[in-house]
Amino acid sequence: MAIVGKPEKKSASEKDIFDLINRGGSVSTQAKSSADLELKEKQLSLRVPLPLIDKIATSIKKRTIRIPRHTWILEAIIEKLSKEEEAKNNMKP
């Protein structure tokens, strides 16, 4: 294994520093678009009975392509919400 010396720090010239300052920038803004809002996440703790966790693990193991348990739970939530939304739409005259 080759040992390489510590890289030398390059110091910026005064001109480079003033160029950077004069270039300016913009103030960061908060996400406002719906696409950005969809990417935001909220962390929550979830208490799940052990037998249910075992069933989830069994279901994940049966898949051809294994996915994280987190993804499986999110898929289950989305599936449940879709079913409820569909049932709600079918009840409307």
Side-chain angles (χ1 to χ4, degrees), residues 4-30:
V4 179
K6 190 174 181 179
E8 292 181 25
K9 289 185 179 180
K10 295 179 182 178
S11 60
S13 68
E14 192 168 320
K15 180 187 177 297
D16 291 338
I17 294 170
F18 281 114
D19 286 346
L20 178 67
I21 292 171
N22 291 331
R23 191 174 354 153
S26 61
V27 178
S28 64
T29 58
Q30 292 188 351

Side-chain angles (χ1 to χ4, degrees), residues 39-45:
L39 296 176
K40 286 188 174 182
E41 294 178 343
K42 175 93 175 168
Q43 185 175 358
L44 63 97
S45 60

Side-chain angles (χ1 to χ4, degrees), residues 41-84:
E41 294 178 343
K42 175 93 175 168
Q43 185 175 358
L44 63 97
S45 60
L46 183 67
R47 286 181 268 164
V48 183
L50 284 176
L52 187 55
I53 290 175
D54 292 341
K55 284 184 176 180
I56 292 170
T58 303
S59 177
I60 291 171
K61 286 178 184 173
K62 288 180 181 175
R63 286 183 168 220
T64 306
I65 299 171
R66 291 194 181 171
I67 58 170
R69 184 172 51 197
H70 174 83
T71 304
W72 190 94
I73 292 171
L74 288 179
E75 283 181 354
I77 292 170
I78 291 168
E79 187 178 315
K80 172 80 173 173
L81 291 173
S82 295
K83 284 181 181 178
E84 285 185 358

